[in-house]
mmCIF file of all heavy atoms in Angstrom:
data_model
loop_
_atom_site.group_PDB
_atom_site.id
_atom_site.type_symbol
_atom_site.label_atom_id
_atom_site.label_comp_id
_atom_site.label_asym_id
_atom_site.label_seq_id
_atom_site.Cartn_x
_atom_site.Cartn_y
_atom_site.Cartn_z
ATOM 1 N N ARG A 211 -54.661 -191.827 -36.399
ATOM 2 C CA ARG A 211 -55.271 -193.081 -36.825
ATOM 3 C C ARG A 211 -56.269 -193.559 -35.767
ATOM 4 O O ARG A 211 -55.969 -193.552 -34.581
ATOM 5 C CB ARG A 211 -54.200 -194.159 -37.023
ATOM 6 C CG ARG A 211 -53.171 -193.824 -38.106
ATOM 7 C CD ARG A 211 -51.971 -194.741 -37.974
ATOM 8 N NE ARG A 211 -51.299 -194.564 -36.683
ATOM 9 C CZ ARG A 211 -50.499 -195.468 -36.132
ATOM 10 N NH1 ARG A 211 -50.279 -196.603 -36.730
ATOM 11 N NH2 ARG A 211 -49.923 -195.218 -34.967
ATOM 12 N N ASN A 212 -57.431 -193.991 -36.221
ATOM 13 C CA ASN A 212 -58.474 -194.466 -35.317
ATOM 14 C C ASN A 212 -58.247 -195.944 -34.994
ATOM 15 O O ASN A 212 -58.405 -196.800 -35.865
ATOM 16 C CB ASN A 212 -59.846 -194.258 -35.972
ATOM 17 C CG ASN A 212 -60.989 -194.698 -35.082
ATOM 18 O OD1 ASN A 212 -60.796 -195.253 -34.004
ATOM 19 N ND2 ASN A 212 -62.198 -194.453 -35.538
ATOM 20 N N ARG A 213 -57.891 -196.230 -33.744
ATOM 21 C CA ARG A 213 -57.639 -197.612 -33.317
ATOM 22 C C ARG A 213 -58.415 -197.937 -32.043
ATOM 23 O O ARG A 213 -57.958 -198.714 -31.204
ATOM 24 C CB ARG A 213 -56.143 -197.835 -33.092
ATOM 25 C CG ARG A 213 -55.258 -197.643 -34.322
ATOM 26 C CD ARG A 213 -55.426 -198.766 -35.307
ATOM 27 N NE ARG A 213 -54.484 -198.684 -36.405
ATOM 28 C CZ ARG A 213 -54.704 -198.030 -37.540
ATOM 29 N NH1 ARG A 213 -55.858 -197.388 -37.721
ATOM 30 N NH2 ARG A 213 -53.774 -197.993 -38.489
ATOM 31 N N ILE A 214 -59.585 -197.353 -31.892
ATOM 32 C CA ILE A 214 -60.346 -197.526 -30.650
ATOM 33 C C ILE A 214 -60.759 -198.985 -30.454
ATOM 34 O O ILE A 214 -60.672 -199.524 -29.347
ATOM 35 C CB ILE A 214 -61.577 -196.598 -30.643
ATOM 36 C CG1 ILE A 214 -61.120 -195.137 -30.604
ATOM 37 C CG2 ILE A 214 -62.482 -196.897 -29.453
ATOM 38 C CD1 ILE A 214 -62.239 -194.132 -30.725
ATOM 39 N N ALA A 215 -61.195 -199.650 -31.513
ATOM 40 C CA ALA A 215 -61.621 -201.047 -31.385
ATOM 41 C C ALA A 215 -60.475 -201.935 -30.918
ATOM 42 O O ALA A 215 -60.653 -202.802 -30.058
ATOM 43 C CB ALA A 215 -62.176 -201.543 -32.724
ATOM 44 N N GLN A 216 -59.285 -201.714 -31.469
ATOM 45 C CA GLN A 216 -58.121 -202.517 -31.059
ATOM 46 C C GLN A 216 -57.758 -202.262 -29.600
ATOM 47 O O GLN A 216 -57.382 -203.179 -28.868
ATOM 48 C CB GLN A 216 -56.916 -202.214 -31.951
ATOM 49 C CG GLN A 216 -57.062 -202.699 -33.387
ATOM 50 C CD GLN A 216 -57.692 -201.657 -34.297
ATOM 51 O OE1 GLN A 216 -58.574 -200.895 -33.866
ATOM 52 N NE2 GLN A 216 -57.256 -201.633 -35.550
ATOM 53 N N MET A 217 -57.876 -201.017 -29.150
ATOM 54 C CA MET A 217 -57.564 -200.690 -27.761
ATOM 55 C C MET A 217 -58.595 -201.304 -26.816
ATOM 56 O O MET A 217 -58.248 -201.837 -25.759
ATOM 57 C CB MET A 217 -57.518 -199.167 -27.568
ATOM 58 C CG MET A 217 -56.385 -198.470 -28.317
ATOM 59 S SD MET A 217 -54.731 -199.031 -27.785
ATOM 60 C CE MET A 217 -54.362 -200.218 -29.095
ATOM 61 N N ALA A 218 -59.864 -201.245 -27.188
ATOM 62 C CA ALA A 218 -60.916 -201.826 -26.355
ATOM 63 C C ALA A 218 -60.731 -203.327 -26.198
ATOM 64 O O ALA A 218 -61.033 -203.901 -25.142
ATOM 65 C CB ALA A 218 -62.285 -201.523 -26.963
ATOM 66 N N ASP A 219 -60.208 -203.956 -27.235
ATOM 67 C CA ASP A 219 -60.028 -205.404 -27.199
ATOM 68 C C ASP A 219 -58.878 -205.820 -26.280
ATOM 69 O O ASP A 219 -58.760 -207.001 -25.940
ATOM 70 C CB ASP A 219 -59.770 -205.925 -28.620
ATOM 71 C CG ASP A 219 -59.942 -207.425 -28.716
ATOM 72 O OD1 ASP A 219 -60.990 -207.934 -28.255
ATOM 73 O OD2 ASP A 219 -59.031 -208.095 -29.253
ATOM 74 N N LYS A 220 -58.057 -204.869 -25.834
ATOM 75 C CA LYS A 220 -56.918 -205.179 -24.983
ATOM 76 C C LYS A 220 -57.243 -205.097 -23.489
ATOM 77 O O LYS A 220 -56.374 -205.338 -22.650
ATOM 78 C CB LYS A 220 -55.758 -204.237 -25.292
ATOM 79 C CG LYS A 220 -55.147 -204.424 -26.683
ATOM 80 C CD LYS A 220 -54.028 -203.427 -26.923
ATOM 81 C CE LYS A 220 -53.421 -203.602 -28.314
ATOM 82 N NZ LYS A 220 -52.698 -204.882 -28.448
ATOM 83 N N VAL A 221 -58.479 -204.713 -23.154
ATOM 84 C CA VAL A 221 -58.864 -204.587 -21.753
ATOM 85 C C VAL A 221 -60.213 -205.249 -21.521
ATOM 86 O O VAL A 221 -60.923 -205.599 -22.461
ATOM 87 C CB VAL A 221 -58.934 -203.099 -21.324
ATOM 88 C CG1 VAL A 221 -57.552 -202.464 -21.351
ATOM 89 C CG2 VAL A 221 -59.898 -202.317 -22.209
ATOM 90 N N ARG A 222 -60.557 -205.384 -20.235
ATOM 91 C CA ARG A 222 -61.854 -205.941 -19.843
ATOM 92 C C ARG A 222 -62.626 -204.898 -19.032
ATOM 93 O O ARG A 222 -62.047 -203.949 -18.510
ATOM 94 C CB ARG A 222 -61.658 -207.198 -18.995
ATOM 95 C CG ARG A 222 -60.885 -208.316 -19.685
ATOM 96 C CD ARG A 222 -60.451 -209.351 -18.658
ATOM 97 N NE ARG A 222 -59.564 -208.734 -17.658
ATOM 98 C CZ ARG A 222 -59.189 -209.325 -16.536
ATOM 99 N NH1 ARG A 222 -59.626 -210.536 -16.237
ATOM 100 N NH2 ARG A 222 -58.392 -208.704 -15.675
ATOM 101 N N GLY A 223 -63.913 -205.117 -18.910
ATOM 102 C CA GLY A 223 -64.740 -204.188 -18.160
ATOM 103 C C GLY A 223 -64.346 -204.080 -16.704
ATOM 104 O O GLY A 223 -64.507 -203.020 -16.082
ATOM 105 N N GLU A 224 -63.826 -205.170 -16.127
ATOM 106 C CA GLU A 224 -63.457 -205.158 -14.712
ATOM 107 C C GLU A 224 -62.103 -204.497 -14.457
ATOM 108 O O GLU A 224 -61.758 -204.205 -13.311
ATOM 109 C CB GLU A 224 -63.410 -206.589 -14.181
ATOM 110 C CG GLU A 224 -62.322 -207.438 -14.803
ATOM 111 C CD GLU A 224 -62.434 -208.889 -14.401
ATOM 112 O OE1 GLU A 224 -63.544 -209.456 -14.495
ATOM 113 O OE2 GLU A 224 -61.408 -209.466 -13.989
ATOM 114 N N ASP A 225 -61.324 -204.245 -15.511
ATOM 115 C CA ASP A 225 -60.044 -203.558 -15.353
ATOM 116 C C ASP A 225 -60.275 -202.081 -15.057
ATOM 117 O O ASP A 225 -61.259 -201.493 -15.518
ATOM 118 C CB ASP A 225 -59.201 -203.669 -16.634
ATOM 119 C CG ASP A 225 -58.822 -205.109 -16.957
ATOM 120 O OD1 ASP A 225 -58.645 -205.897 -16.021
ATOM 121 O OD2 ASP A 225 -58.715 -205.417 -18.164
ATOM 122 N N CYS A 226 -59.365 -201.490 -14.305
ATOM 123 C CA CYS A 226 -59.420 -200.035 -14.104
ATOM 124 C C CYS A 226 -58.589 -199.389 -15.201
ATOM 125 O O CYS A 226 -57.365 -199.567 -15.249
ATOM 126 C CB CYS A 226 -58.886 -199.653 -12.725
ATOM 127 S SG CYS A 226 -59.146 -197.900 -12.354
ATOM 128 N N VAL A 227 -59.267 -198.654 -16.080
ATOM 129 C CA VAL A 227 -58.619 -198.099 -17.274
ATOM 130 C C VAL A 227 -58.682 -196.576 -17.255
ATOM 131 O O VAL A 227 -59.767 -195.991 -17.143
ATOM 132 C CB VAL A 227 -59.287 -198.626 -18.559
ATOM 133 C CG1 VAL A 227 -58.605 -198.027 -19.788
ATOM 134 C CG2 VAL A 227 -59.252 -200.147 -18.605
#
Side-chain angles (χ1 to χ4, degrees):
R211 298 165 298 159
N212 181 355
R213 298 288 187 270
I214 294 175
Q216 291 90 325
M217 294 299 99
D219 195 50
K220 293 179 180 293
V221 294
R222 301 166 299 169
E224 65 188 49
D225 296 328
C226 188
V227 180

